Amino acid sequence: MTVTPRSPLVAVLAYDGLCAFEFAIAYEVFGLPRPEMGPGWYRYCPCAVEPGPLRSASGLVVEAAAGLEILAEADLIIIPGWRGIAAPVPGPLLEALRQAHARGAAIASLCSGAFVLGAAGLLDGRRATTHWRYFDAMADHFPAARLEPDVLYVEEDRILTAAGSAAGIDLCLHLVRRDFGAEVANRVARRLVVAPHREGGQAQFIERPVPKPREGARLSALMEWMQAHLDEDQKVPDLASRAGMSIRTFQRRFEETTGLPPGSWLLQLRLARARELLEAPEDRSLDDIAEATGFRTVAALRHHFRLRLGVSPGQYRDRFFRDRQPSRAA
């Protein structure tokens, strides 16, 4: 008999003074019905931190479907901000979060929600981030946390923190990528009309470059060709000839369109494709991946991975498959 794994349960905290935008981000990614994803998609449950009525900062009244007891079952817990960086956190919530993490759940905070994780002691000795306005206060409140100011989000040991409200989208898409792969995360991103990846320093995932609309039509055919032929040599004179431009004009218009020189734009494409191949369930060799993405040699692949992502390709693959396991319910 085949046993089908149950879909991950996502519990999103609701509290008086709720940050409605961050709460809505979690719903859009994890709670919005997505029948096209099949029966294995996330189960979503808002969780009341305290008795109601729970009013959001924008004046809405929220009625949650469950209380703190759901945290004992959740595979992923989202803390969508907090009502104030100096506002106390209820003891029962802190204990429920500690117990959930100890049994293997992942816990993610958006923006000021990191202060809840800090109050629970879950940031001690771990990398973390928060909104730049709160960074000094966080360092004062939680000196044992290893704070990183220049990233969009951080994950360590199933504790995830996002730098701000919009960075919460990046973090949630990262979780989808970890659980269901890059193709599914890209589909969710397209529905949200956001970039599937944004570069934010350290080992953040690089975005797939998108041309600016004003100039994109001029070079769109060439750029599509470049994406479809990553395994081939693509020298600037040849690309300029294919575009029907002089080298100087081609370089100028390409950078006006993408914000990057042709070589840098192509490198981002190759790194994005290499990342997708490393995340795929097929265990392709690094030699194959280097060849398929135009790096040609494993040494070149390793060099660019370390330079841009801070890890080797092998470490990236190991971390991806290691990190995605805890939030996949058995």
Side-chain angles (χ1 to χ4, degrees), residues 7-311:
S7 55
L9 173 61
V10 180
V12 182
L13 301 187
Y15 50 87
D16 199 41
L18 178 66
C19 298
F21 182 70
E22 288 83 349
F23 187 82
I25 288 171
Y27 171 74
E28 283 287 332
V29 175
F30 303 109
L32 196 67
R34 299 183 188 275
E36 71 277 14
M37 298 301 185
W41 191 244
Y42 298 101
R43 294 172 293 143
Y44 170 87
C45 183
C47 163
V49 168
E50 54 212 336
L54 306 176
R55 295 179 174 83
S56 75
S58 58
L60 299 174
V61 177
V62 177
E63 182 177 349
L68 290 178
E69 71 281 350
I70 198 67
L71 300 189
E73 305 174 30
D75 302 291
L76 170 63
I77 299 167
I78 304 289
I79 307 172
W82 190 238
R83 49 187 165 228
I85 62 174
V89 183
L93 171 59
L94 296 178
E95 183 58 27
L97 292 175
R98 286 190 286 261
Q99 290 182 7
H101 184 257
R103 67 170 174 78
I107 308 177
S109 68
L110 312 185
C111 197
S112 59
F115 283 79
V116 176
L117 288 172
L122 293 173
L123 298 184
D124 292 354
R126 295 188 174 99
R127 297 162 54 239
T129 194
T130 189
H131 193 283
W132 59 267
R133 291 179 57 205
Y134 308 140
F135 208 82
D136 290 341
M138 186 167 223
D140 291 339
H141 280 77
F142 312 114
R146 297 160 50 204
L147 301 182
E148 299 193 3
D150 59 347
V151 298
L152 294 175
Y153 58 85
V154 175
E155 175 176 10
E156 183 170 343
D157 189 25
R158 292 174 288 105
I159 296 295
L160 303 97
T161 51
S165 299
I169 300 174
D170 298 285
L171 185 152
C172 290
L173 288 173
H174 162 66
L175 286 163
V176 174
R177 289 178 62 248
R178 190 187 69 177
D179 288 345
F180 293 96
E183 182 180 351
V184 171
N186 290 347
R187 289 164 63 188
V188 175
R190 283 195 296 271
R191 185 161 171 179
L192 290 169
V193 197
V194 298
H197 318 291
R198 290 194 298 157
E199 190 169 358
Q202 183 134 357
Q204 298 305 134
F205 301 99
I206 57 176
E207 65 181 59
R208 184 178 295 280
V210 178
K212 296 177 182 177
R214 184 175 66 85
E215 294 288 346
R218 294 174 177 262
L219 294 168
S220 60
L222 174 66
M223 295 166 76
E224 289 178 5
W225 182 91
M226 293 171 70
Q227 293 183 62
H229 296 82
L230 293 178
D231 59 332
E232 299 181 17
D233 287 333
Q234 299 189 27
K235 298 178 180 178
V236 168
D238 296 333
L239 294 173
S241 176
R242 184 176 286 273
M245 302 177 186
S246 69
I247 293 176
R248 180 178 294 182
T249 299
F250 168 70
Q251 289 177 314
R252 184 181 72 252
R253 290 188 177 176
F254 196 98
E255 189 158 354
E256 287 173 351
T257 300
T258 66
L260 292 171
S264 298
W265 191 84
L266 182 60
L267 175 61
Q268 288 198 11
L269 287 180
R270 285 176 164 155
L271 284 169
R273 179 57 180 157
R275 190 195 60 247
E276 290 176 0
L277 293 175
L278 289 166
E279 294 173 3
E282 300 83 9
D283 189 13
R284 296 182 64 166
S285 72
L286 293 183
D287 288 298
D288 286 345
I289 292 174
E291 188 66 31
T293 53
F295 287 109
R296 295 287 178 258
T297 68
V298 174
L301 178 65
R302 287 196 181 106
H303 168 76
H304 289 293
F305 251 74
R306 287 192 181 278
L307 187 64
R308 297 299 299 274
L309 303 180
V311 294

